[in-house]
Amino acid sequence: MSTMAGPEQPRSASQVLVAVSGISRYDAEAVFGVLRTCYESDEATTNLPQDAGEGRPTVWTSVFEVADPREEPRPASLTAPVTADLQGGPRQVQQVADVLARAFEVREQGAVAGDQERELRLRLSSTGMRPE
């Protein structure tokens, strides 16, 4: 797992950057939709990710404010397993991972911990779907 750097990093201790990659527009919106149910985001709820051209890698990112959760997530469907990278404070990253675990089956694929920041890679799949 590589360190995500640059302007996409969380802007405050209560924010978590979530990046999902190599998936369809439908699956990206399913993951971000679950998180928008619980948290305020830097993206409008109507701002759906756009598909990239065929054969091109696609990564969608959004920053979520996790200080004041709104409501509990509901289970959501995915058409295929999804890789999600979370970056932020250790407690906040775990909070987002816990929310995702209530909506999807989650398998941790790697973690990098620093003094005040944590990166976590998760593999998400629909409940009952066999992860790749």
mmCIF file with all atom_site columns, all heavy atoms in Angstrom, residues 93-118:
data_model
loop_
_atom_site.group_PDB
_atom_site.id
_atom_site.type_symbol
_atom_site.label_atom_id
_atom_site.label_alt_id
_atom_site.label_comp_id
_atom_site.label_asym_id
_atom_site.label_entity_id
_atom_site.label_seq_id
_atom_site.pdbx_PDB_ins_code
_atom_site.Cartn_x
_atom_site.Cartn_y
_atom_site.Cartn_z
_atom_site.occupancy
_atom_site.B_iso_or_equiv
_atom_site.pdbx_formal_charge
_atom_site.auth_seq_id
_atom_site.auth_comp_id
_atom_site.auth_asym_id
_atom_site.auth_atom_id
_atom_site.pdbx_PDB_model_num
ATOM 1   N N   . VAL A 1 93  ? -10.179 6.725   11.278 1.00 0.00 ? 93  VAL A N   1
ATOM 2   C CA  . VAL A 1 93  ? -10.107 5.682   10.244 1.00 0.00 ? 93  VAL A CA  1
ATOM 3   C C   . VAL A 1 93  ? -10.835 4.427   10.728 1.00 0.00 ? 93  VAL A C   1
ATOM 4   O O   . VAL A 1 93  ? -11.599 3.818   9.984  1.00 0.00 ? 93  VAL A O   1
ATOM 5   C CB  . VAL A 1 93  ? -8.643  5.376   9.860  1.00 0.00 ? 93  VAL A CB  1
ATOM 6   C CG1 . VAL A 1 93  ? -8.526  4.073   9.083  1.00 0.00 ? 93  VAL A CG1 1
ATOM 7   C CG2 . VAL A 1 93  ? -8.061  6.534   9.060  1.00 0.00 ? 93  VAL A CG2 1
ATOM 8   N N   . GLN A 1 94  ? -10.641 4.061   11.983 1.00 0.00 ? 94  GLN A N   1
ATOM 9   C CA  . GLN A 1 94  ? -11.331 2.881   12.518 1.00 0.00 ? 94  GLN A CA  1
ATOM 10  C C   . GLN A 1 94  ? -12.835 3.089   12.549 1.00 0.00 ? 94  GLN A C   1
ATOM 11  O O   . GLN A 1 94  ? -13.610 2.179   12.263 1.00 0.00 ? 94  GLN A O   1
ATOM 12  C CB  . GLN A 1 94  ? -10.810 2.533   13.918 1.00 0.00 ? 94  GLN A CB  1
ATOM 13  C CG  . GLN A 1 94  ? -11.334 1.209   14.429 1.00 0.00 ? 94  GLN A CG  1
ATOM 14  C CD  . GLN A 1 94  ? -10.975 0.042   13.517 1.00 0.00 ? 94  GLN A CD  1
ATOM 15  O OE1 . GLN A 1 94  ? -9.813  -0.158  13.196 1.00 0.00 ? 94  GLN A OE1 1
ATOM 16  N NE2 . GLN A 1 94  ? -11.965 -0.719  13.074 1.00 0.00 ? 94  GLN A NE2 1
ATOM 17  N N   . GLN A 1 95  ? -13.263 4.299   12.857 1.00 0.00 ? 95  GLN A N   1
ATOM 18  C CA  . GLN A 1 95  ? -14.692 4.630   12.874 1.00 0.00 ? 95  GLN A CA  1
ATOM 19  C C   . GLN A 1 95  ? -15.302 4.433   11.482 1.00 0.00 ? 95  GLN A C   1
ATOM 20  O O   . GLN A 1 95  ? -16.367 3.825   11.354 1.00 0.00 ? 95  GLN A O   1
ATOM 21  C CB  . GLN A 1 95  ? -14.856 6.079   13.336 1.00 0.00 ? 95  GLN A CB  1
ATOM 22  C CG  . GLN A 1 95  ? -16.264 6.553   13.495 1.00 0.00 ? 95  GLN A CG  1
ATOM 23  C CD  . GLN A 1 95  ? -16.313 7.995   14.002 1.00 0.00 ? 95  GLN A CD  1
ATOM 24  O OE1 . GLN A 1 95  ? -15.368 8.515   14.571 1.00 0.00 ? 95  GLN A OE1 1
ATOM 25  N NE2 . GLN A 1 95  ? -17.429 8.635   13.771 1.00 0.00 ? 95  GLN A NE2 1
ATOM 26  N N   . VAL A 1 96  ? -14.630 4.898   10.448 1.00 0.00 ? 96  VAL A N   1
ATOM 27  C CA  . VAL A 1 96  ? -15.127 4.729   9.080  1.00 0.00 ? 96  VAL A CA  1
ATOM 28  C C   . VAL A 1 96  ? -15.107 3.248   8.694  1.00 0.00 ? 96  VAL A C   1
ATOM 29  O O   . VAL A 1 96  ? -16.058 2.743   8.088  1.00 0.00 ? 96  VAL A O   1
ATOM 30  C CB  . VAL A 1 96  ? -14.313 5.587   8.087  1.00 0.00 ? 96  VAL A CB  1
ATOM 31  C CG1 . VAL A 1 96  ? -14.680 5.247   6.647  1.00 0.00 ? 96  VAL A CG1 1
ATOM 32  C CG2 . VAL A 1 96  ? -14.540 7.072   8.359  1.00 0.00 ? 96  VAL A CG2 1
ATOM 33  N N   . ALA A 1 97  ? -14.055 2.532   9.064  1.00 0.00 ? 97  ALA A N   1
ATOM 34  C CA  . ALA A 1 97  ? -13.982 1.094   8.777  1.00 0.00 ? 97  ALA A CA  1
ATOM 35  C C   . ALA A 1 97  ? -15.137 0.351   9.446  1.00 0.00 ? 97  ALA A C   1
ATOM 36  O O   . ALA A 1 97  ? -15.730 -0.562  8.842  1.00 0.00 ? 97  ALA A O   1
ATOM 37  C CB  . ALA A 1 97  ? -12.641 0.528   9.234  1.00 0.00 ? 97  ALA A CB  1
ATOM 38  N N   . ASP A 1 98  ? -15.486 0.734   10.661 1.00 0.00 ? 98  ASP A N   1
ATOM 39  C CA  . ASP A 1 98  ? -16.603 0.098   11.372 1.00 0.00 ? 98  ASP A CA  1
ATOM 40  C C   . ASP A 1 98  ? -17.930 0.352   10.664 1.00 0.00 ? 98  ASP A C   1
ATOM 41  O O   . ASP A 1 98  ? -18.784 -0.532  10.575 1.00 0.00 ? 98  ASP A O   1
ATOM 42  C CB  . ASP A 1 98  ? -16.672 0.588   12.819 1.00 0.00 ? 98  ASP A CB  1
ATOM 43  C CG  . ASP A 1 98  ? -15.507 0.089   13.672 1.00 0.00 ? 98  ASP A CG  1
ATOM 44  O OD1 . ASP A 1 98  ? -14.799 -0.860  13.257 1.00 0.00 ? 98  ASP A OD1 1
ATOM 45  O OD2 . ASP A 1 98  ? -15.301 0.670   14.758 1.00 0.00 ? 98  ASP A OD2 1
ATOM 46  N N   . VAL A 1 99  ? -18.117 1.571   10.151 1.00 0.00 ? 99  VAL A N   1
ATOM 47  C CA  . VAL A 1 99  ? -19.335 1.895   9.400  1.00 0.00 ? 99  VAL A CA  1
ATOM 48  C C   . VAL A 1 99  ? -19.409 1.027   8.142  1.00 0.00 ? 99  VAL A C   1
ATOM 49  O O   . VAL A 1 99  ? -20.447 0.449   7.834  1.00 0.00 ? 99  VAL A O   1
ATOM 50  C CB  . VAL A 1 99  ? -19.384 3.402   9.044  1.00 0.00 ? 99  VAL A CB  1
ATOM 51  C CG1 . VAL A 1 99  ? -20.398 3.681   7.943  1.00 0.00 ? 99  VAL A CG1 1
ATOM 52  C CG2 . VAL A 1 99  ? -19.717 4.217   10.286 1.00 0.00 ? 99  VAL A CG2 1
ATOM 53  N N   . LEU A 1 100 ? -18.303 0.936   7.414  1.00 0.00 ? 100 LEU A N   1
ATOM 54  C CA  . LEU A 1 100 ? -18.286 0.110   6.208  1.00 0.00 ? 100 LEU A CA  1
ATOM 55  C C   . LEU A 1 100 ? -18.579 -1.357  6.539  1.00 0.00 ? 100 LEU A C   1
ATOM 56  O O   . LEU A 1 100 ? -19.265 -2.037  5.775  1.00 0.00 ? 100 LEU A O   1
ATOM 57  C CB  . LEU A 1 100 ? -16.949 0.250   5.484  1.00 0.00 ? 100 LEU A CB  1
ATOM 58  C CG  . LEU A 1 100 ? -16.706 1.621   4.839  1.00 0.00 ? 100 LEU A CG  1
ATOM 59  C CD1 . LEU A 1 100 ? -15.266 1.734   4.356  1.00 0.00 ? 100 LEU A CD1 1
ATOM 60  C CD2 . LEU A 1 100 ? -17.693 1.885   3.708  1.00 0.00 ? 100 LEU A CD2 1
ATOM 61  N N   . ALA A 1 101 ? -18.107 -1.822  7.686  1.00 0.00 ? 101 ALA A N   1
ATOM 62  C CA  . ALA A 1 101 ? -18.332 -3.213  8.095  1.00 0.00 ? 101 ALA A CA  1
ATOM 63  C C   . ALA A 1 101 ? -19.799 -3.488  8.429  1.00 0.00 ? 101 ALA A C   1
ATOM 64  O O   . ALA A 1 101 ? -20.235 -4.634  8.405  1.00 0.00 ? 101 ALA A O   1
ATOM 65  C CB  . ALA A 1 101 ? -17.447 -3.573  9.288  1.00 0.00 ? 101 ALA A CB  1
ATOM 66  N N   . ARG A 1 102 ? -20.558 -2.451  8.740  1.00 0.00 ? 102 ARG A N   1
ATOM 67  C CA  . ARG A 1 102 ? -21.992 -2.633  8.989  1.00 0.00 ? 102 ARG A CA  1
ATOM 68  C C   . ARG A 1 102 ? -22.790 -2.657  7.685  1.00 0.00 ? 102 ARG A C   1
ATOM 69  O O   . ARG A 1 102 ? -23.932 -3.099  7.676  1.00 0.00 ? 102 ARG A O   1
ATOM 70  C CB  . ARG A 1 102 ? -22.516 -1.558  9.941  1.00 0.00 ? 102 ARG A CB  1
ATOM 71  C CG  . ARG A 1 102 ? -21.955 -1.738  11.353 1.00 0.00 ? 102 ARG A CG  1
ATOM 72  C CD  . ARG A 1 102 ? -22.692 -0.935  12.412 1.00 0.00 ? 102 ARG A CD  1
ATOM 73  N NE  . ARG A 1 102 ? -22.569 0.501   12.323 1.00 0.00 ? 102 ARG A NE  1
ATOM 74  C CZ  . ARG A 1 102 ? -21.553 1.239   12.792 1.00 0.00 ? 102 ARG A CZ  1
ATOM 75  N NH1 . ARG A 1 102 ? -20.520 0.639   13.366 1.00 0.00 ? 102 ARG A NH1 1
ATOM 76  N NH2 . ARG A 1 102 ? -21.562 2.542   12.690 1.00 0.00 ? 102 ARG A NH2 1
ATOM 77  N N   . ALA A 1 103 ? -22.197 -2.194  6.588  1.00 0.00 ? 103 ALA A N   1
ATOM 78  C CA  . ALA A 1 103 ? -22.898 -2.160  5.307  1.00 0.00 ? 103 ALA A CA  1
ATOM 79  C C   . ALA A 1 103 ? -22.416 -3.237  4.329  1.00 0.00 ? 103 ALA A C   1
ATOM 80  O O   . ALA A 1 103 ? -23.156 -3.625  3.429  1.00 0.00 ? 103 ALA A O   1
ATOM 81  C CB  . ALA A 1 103 ? -22.734 -0.780  4.668  1.00 0.00 ? 103 ALA A CB  1
ATOM 82  N N   . PHE A 1 104 ? -21.164 -3.686  4.490  1.00 0.00 ? 104 PHE A N   1
ATOM 83  C CA  . PHE A 1 104 ? -20.551 -4.637  3.568  1.00 0.00 ? 104 PHE A CA  1
ATOM 84  C C   . PHE A 1 104 ? -19.797 -5.700  4.360  1.00 0.00 ? 104 PHE A C   1
ATOM 85  O O   . PHE A 1 104 ? -19.531 -5.519  5.541  1.00 0.00 ? 104 PHE A O   1
ATOM 86  C CB  . PHE A 1 104 ? -19.523 -3.929  2.657  1.00 0.00 ? 104 PHE A CB  1
ATOM 87  C CG  . PHE A 1 104 ? -20.068 -2.764  1.904  1.00 0.00 ? 104 PHE A CG  1
ATOM 88  C CD1 . PHE A 1 104 ? -19.796 -1.466  2.317  1.00 0.00 ? 104 PHE A CD1 1
ATOM 89  C CD2 . PHE A 1 104 ? -20.849 -2.941  0.771  1.00 0.00 ? 104 PHE A CD2 1
ATOM 90  C CE1 . PHE A 1 104 ? -20.294 -0.374  1.622  1.00 0.00 ? 104 PHE A CE1 1
ATOM 91  C CE2 . PHE A 1 104 ? -21.349 -1.855  0.071  1.00 0.00 ? 104 PHE A CE2 1
ATOM 92  C CZ  . PHE A 1 104 ? -21.065 -0.568  0.492  1.00 0.00 ? 104 PHE A CZ  1
ATOM 93  N N   . GLU A 1 105 ? -19.407 -6.769  3.666  1.00 0.00 ? 105 GLU A N   1
ATOM 94  C CA  . GLU A 1 105 ? -18.424 -7.675  4.245  1.00 0.00 ? 105 GLU A CA  1
ATOM 95  C C   . GLU A 1 105 ? -17.072 -7.018  4.010  1.00 0.00 ? 105 GLU A C   1
ATOM 96  O O   . GLU A 1 105 ? -16.798 -6.534  2.915  1.00 0.00 ? 105 GLU A O   1
ATOM 97  C CB  . GLU A 1 105 ? -18.488 -9.051  3.587  1.00 0.00 ? 105 GLU A CB  1
ATOM 98  C CG  . GLU A 1 105 ? -19.714 -9.825  4.012  1.00 0.00 ? 105 GLU A CG  1
ATOM 99  C CD  . GLU A 1 105 ? -19.692 -11.265 3.553  1.00 0.00 ? 105 GLU A CD  1
ATOM 100 O OE1 . GLU A 1 105 ? -18.597 -11.800 3.247  1.00 0.00 ? 105 GLU A OE1 1
ATOM 101 O OE2 . GLU A 1 105 ? -20.774 -11.849 3.500  1.00 0.00 ? 105 GLU A OE2 1
ATOM 102 N N   . VAL A 1 106 ? -16.239 -6.987  5.046  1.00 0.00 ? 106 VAL A N   1
ATOM 103 C CA  . VAL A 1 106 ? -14.964 -6.271  4.972  1.00 0.00 ? 106 VAL A CA  1
ATOM 104 C C   . VAL A 1 106 ? -13.822 -7.205  5.328  1.00 0.00 ? 106 VAL A C   1
ATOM 105 O O   . VAL A 1 106 ? -13.903 -7.947  6.304  1.00 0.00 ? 106 VAL A O   1
ATOM 106 C CB  . VAL A 1 106 ? -14.966 -5.062  5.937  1.00 0.00 ? 106 VAL A CB  1
ATOM 107 C CG1 . VAL A 1 106 ? -13.603 -4.403  5.986  1.00 0.00 ? 106 VAL A CG1 1
ATOM 108 C CG2 . VAL A 1 106 ? -16.033 -4.061  5.539  1.00 0.00 ? 106 VAL A CG2 1
ATOM 109 N N   . ARG A 1 107 ? -12.769 -7.128  4.519  1.00 0.00 ? 107 ARG A N   1
ATOM 110 C CA  . ARG A 1 107 ? -11.542 -7.858  4.817  1.00 0.00 ? 107 ARG A CA  1
ATOM 111 C C   . ARG A 1 107 ? -10.389 -6.859  4.768  1.00 0.00 ? 107 ARG A C   1
ATOM 112 O O   . ARG A 1 107 ? -10.207 -6.163  3.770  1.00 0.00 ? 107 ARG A O   1
ATOM 113 C CB  . ARG A 1 107 ? -11.323 -8.967  3.800  1.00 0.00 ? 107 ARG A CB  1
ATOM 114 C CG  . ARG A 1 107 ? -10.134 -9.855  4.152  1.00 0.00 ? 107 ARG A CG  1
ATOM 115 C CD  . ARG A 1 107 ? -10.023 -11.005 3.212  1.00 0.00 ? 107 ARG A CD  1
ATOM 116 N NE  . ARG A 1 107 ? -9.714  -10.485 1.885  1.00 0.00 ? 107 ARG A NE  1
ATOM 117 C CZ  . ARG A 1 107 ? -9.725  -11.196 0.783  1.00 0.00 ? 107 ARG A CZ  1
ATOM 118 N NH1 . ARG A 1 107 ? -10.061 -12.453 0.806  1.00 0.00 ? 107 ARG A NH1 1
ATOM 119 N NH2 . ARG A 1 107 ? -9.411  -10.658 -0.376 1.00 0.00 ? 107 ARG A NH2 1
ATOM 120 N N   . GLU A 1 108 ? -9.634  -6.763  5.866  1.00 0.00 ? 108 GLU A N   1
ATOM 121 C CA  . GLU A 1 108 ? -8.487  -5.858  5.900  1.00 0.00 ? 108 GLU A CA  1
ATOM 122 C C   . GLU A 1 108 ? -7.374  -6.438  5.048  1.00 0.00 ? 108 GLU A C   1
ATOM 123 O O   . GLU A 1 108 ? -7.024  -7.601  5.173  1.00 0.00 ? 108 GLU A O   1
ATOM 124 C CB  . GLU A 1 108 ? -8.013  -5.663  7.337  1.00 0.00 ? 108 GLU A CB  1
ATOM 125 C CG  . GLU A 1 108 ? -6.927  -4.621  7.449  1.00 0.00 ? 108 GLU A CG  1
ATOM 126 C CD  . GLU A 1 108 ? -6.531  -4.318  8.890  1.00 0.00 ? 108 GLU A CD  1
ATOM 127 O OE1 . GLU A 1 108 ? -7.419  -4.253  9.760  1.00 0.00 ? 108 GLU A OE1 1
ATOM 128 O OE2 . GLU A 1 108 ? -5.328  -4.159  9.124  1.00 0.00 ? 108 GLU A OE2 1
ATOM 129 N N   . GLN A 1 109 ? -6.787  -5.593  4.188  1.00 0.00 ? 109 GLN A N   1
ATOM 130 C CA  . GLN A 1 109 ? -5.709  -6.048  3.309  1.00 0.00 ? 109 GLN A CA  1
ATOM 131 C C   . GLN A 1 109 ? -4.373  -5.413  3.629  1.00 0.00 ? 109 GLN A C   1
ATOM 132 O O   . GLN A 1 109 ? -3.366  -5.808  3.059  1.00 0.00 ? 109 GLN A O   1
ATOM 133 C CB  . GLN A 1 109 ? -6.068  -5.782  1.851  1.00 0.00 ? 109 GLN A CB  1
ATOM 134 C CG  . GLN A 1 109 ? -7.202  -6.646  1.376  1.00 0.00 ? 109 GLN A CG  1
ATOM 135 C CD  . GLN A 1 109 ? -7.327  -6.612  -0.124 1.00 0.00 ? 109 GLN A CD  1
ATOM 136 O OE1 . GLN A 1 109 ? -7.356  -5.559  -0.722 1.00 0.00 ? 109 GLN A OE1 1
ATOM 137 N NE2 . GLN A 1 109 ? -7.400  -7.782  -0.718 1.00 0.00 ? 109 GLN A NE2 1
ATOM 138 N N   . GLY A 1 110 ? -4.352  -4.454  4.508  1.00 0.00 ? 110 GLY A N   1
ATOM 139 C CA  . GLY A 1 110 ? -3.086  -3.834  4.874  1.00 0.00 ? 110 GLY A CA  1
ATOM 140 C C   . GLY A 1 110 ? -3.315  -2.574  5.673  1.00 0.00 ? 110 GLY A C   1
ATOM 141 O O   . GLY A 1 110 ? -4.371  -1.956  5.588  1.00 0.00 ? 110 GLY A O   1
ATOM 142 N N   . ALA A 1 111 ? -2.324  -2.216  6.463  1.00 0.00 ? 111 ALA A N   1
ATOM 143 C CA  . ALA A 1 111 ? -2.408  -1.004  7.276  1.00 0.00 ? 111 ALA A CA  1
ATOM 144 C C   . ALA A 1 111 ? -1.017  -0.428  7.457  1.00 0.00 ? 111 ALA A C   1
ATOM 145 O O   . ALA A 1 111 ? -0.035  -1.164  7.524  1.00 0.00 ? 111 ALA A O   1
ATOM 146 C CB  . ALA A 1 111 ? -3.029  -1.315  8.640  1.00 0.00 ? 111 ALA A CB  1
ATOM 147 N N   . VAL A 1 112 ? -0.964  0.900   7.521  1.00 0.00 ? 112 VAL A N   1
ATOM 148 C CA  . VAL A 1 112 ? 0.262   1.623   7.809  1.00 0.00 ? 112 VAL A CA  1
ATOM 149 C C   . VAL A 1 112 ? -0.095  2.635   8.882  1.00 0.00 ? 112 VAL A C   1
ATOM 150 O O   . VAL A 1 112 ? -1.029  3.416   8.719  1.00 0.00 ? 112 VAL A O   1
ATOM 151 C CB  . VAL A 1 112 ? 0.806   2.354   6.553  1.00 0.00 ? 112 VAL A CB  1
ATOM 152 C CG1 . VAL A 1 112 ? 2.047   3.161   6.906  1.00 0.00 ? 112 VAL A CG1 1
ATOM 153 C CG2 . VAL A 1 112 ? 1.093   1.376   5.440  1.00 0.00 ? 112 VAL A CG2 1
ATOM 154 N N   . ALA A 1 113 ? 0.642   2.589   9.991  1.00 0.00 ? 113 ALA A N   1
ATOM 155 C CA  . ALA A 1 113 ? 0.351   3.505   11.091 1.00 0.00 ? 113 ALA A CA  1
ATOM 156 C C   . ALA A 1 113 ? 1.520   4.445   11.308 1.00 0.00 ? 113 ALA A C   1
ATOM 157 O O   . ALA A 1 113 ? 2.674   4.032   11.283 1.00 0.00 ? 113 ALA A O   1
ATOM 158 C CB  . ALA A 1 113 ? 0.067   2.724   12.366 1.00 0.00 ? 113 ALA A CB  1
ATOM 159 N N   . GLY A 1 114 ? 1.191   5.705   11.503 1.00 0.00 ? 114 GLY A N   1
ATOM 160 C CA  . GLY A 1 114 ? 2.191   6.714   11.843 1.00 0.00 ? 114 GLY A CA  1
ATOM 161 C C   . GLY A 1 114 ? 1.866   7.249   13.221 1.00 0.00 ? 114 GLY A C   1
ATOM 162 O O   . GLY A 1 114 ? 0.999   6.726   13.918 1.00 0.00 ? 114 GLY A O   1
ATOM 163 N N   . ASP A 1 115 ? 2.560   8.308   13.622 1.00 0.00 ? 115 ASP A N   1
ATOM 164 C CA  . ASP A 1 115 ? 2.313   8.896   14.937 1.00 0.00 ? 115 ASP A CA  1
ATOM 165 C C   . ASP A 1 115 ? 0.887   9.418   15.078 1.00 0.00 ? 115 ASP A C   1
ATOM 166 O O   . ASP A 1 115 ? 0.238   9.213   16.088 1.00 0.00 ? 115 ASP A O   1
ATOM 167 C CB  . ASP A 1 115 ? 3.286   10.049  15.213 1.00 0.00 ? 115 ASP A CB  1
ATOM 168 C CG  . ASP A 1 115 ? 4.697   9.548   15.461 1.00 0.00 ? 115 ASP A CG  1
ATOM 169 O OD1 . ASP A 1 115 ? 4.851   8.351   15.754 1.00 0.00 ? 115 ASP A OD1 1
ATOM 170 O OD2 . ASP A 1 115 ? 5.630   10.356  15.359 1.00 0.00 ? 115 ASP A OD2 1
ATOM 171 N N   . GLN A 1 116 ? 0.419   10.118  14.052 1.00 0.00 ? 116 GLN A N   1
ATOM 172 C CA  . GLN A 1 116 ? -0.900  10.740  14.154 1.00 0.00 ? 116 GLN A CA  1
ATOM 173 C C   . GLN A 1 116 ? -1.789  10.420  12.972 1.00 0.00 ? 116 GLN A C   1
ATOM 174 O O   . GLN A 1 116 ? -2.836  11.037  12.801 1.00 0.00 ? 116 GLN A O   1
ATOM 175 C CB  . GLN A 1 116 ? -0.733  12.248  14.283 1.00 0.00 ? 116 GLN A CB  1
ATOM 176 C CG  . GLN A 1 116 ? 0.009   12.630  15.536 1.00 0.00 ? 116 GLN A CG  1
ATOM 177 C CD  . GLN A 1 116 ? 0.176   14.126  15.657 1.00 0.00 ? 116 GLN A CD  1
ATOM 178 O OE1 . GLN A 1 116 ? -0.571  14.891  15.074 1.00 0.00 ? 116 GLN A OE1 1
ATOM 179 N NE2 . GLN A 1 116 ? 1.145   14.536  16.428 1.00 0.00 ? 116 GLN A NE2 1
ATOM 180 N N   . GLU A 1 117 ? -1.387  9.468   12.156 1.00 0.00 ? 117 GLU A N   1
ATOM 181 C CA  . GLU A 1 117 ? -2.154  9.137   10.968 1.00 0.00 ? 117 GLU A CA  1
ATOM 182 C C   . GLU A 1 117 ? -2.109  7.640   10.721 1.00 0.00 ? 117 GLU A C   1
ATOM 183 O O   . GLU A 1 117 ? -1.137  6.978   11.056 1.00 0.00 ? 117 GLU A O   1
ATOM 184 C CB  . GLU A 1 117 ? -1.573  9.878   9.760  1.00 0.00 ? 117 GLU A CB  1
ATOM 185 C CG  . GLU A 1 117 ? -2.412  9.742   8.530  1.00 0.00 ? 117 GLU A CG  1
ATOM 186 C CD  . GLU A 1 117 ? -1.894  10.636  7.425  1.00 0.00 ? 117 GLU A CD  1
ATOM 187 O OE1 . GLU A 1 117 ? -2.221  11.828  7.425  1.00 0.00 ? 117 GLU A OE1 1
ATOM 188 O OE2 . GLU A 1 117 ? -1.139  10.123  6.578  1.00 0.00 ? 117 GLU A OE2 1
ATOM 189 N N   . ARG A 1 118 ? -3.174  7.141   10.114 1.00 0.00 ? 118 ARG A N   1
ATOM 190 C CA  . ARG A 1 118 ? -3.242  5.721   9.772  1.00 0.00 ? 118 ARG A CA  1
ATOM 191 C C   . ARG A 1 118 ? -3.794  5.586   8.369  1.00 0.00 ? 118 ARG A C   1
ATOM 192 O O   . ARG A 1 118 ? -4.685  6.333   7.973  1.00 0.00 ? 118 ARG A O   1
ATOM 193 C CB  . ARG A 1 118 ? -4.154  5.000   10.757 1.00 0.00 ? 118 ARG A CB  1
ATOM 194 C CG  . ARG A 1 118 ? -4.248  3.515   10.495 1.00 0.00 ? 118 ARG A CG  1
ATOM 195 C CD  . ARG A 1 118 ? -5.051  2.804   11.552 1.00 0.00 ? 118 ARG A CD  1
ATOM 196 N NE  . ARG A 1 118 ? -4.989  1.379   11.331 1.00 0.00 ? 118 ARG A NE  1
ATOM 197 C CZ  . ARG A 1 118 ? -5.986  0.553   11.576 1.00 0.00 ? 118 ARG A CZ  1
ATOM 198 N NH1 . ARG A 1 118 ? -7.098  0.997   12.104 1.00 0.00 ? 118 ARG A NH1 1
ATOM 199 N NH2 . ARG A 1 118 ? -5.855  -0.731  11.340 1.00 0.00 ? 118 ARG A NH2 1
#
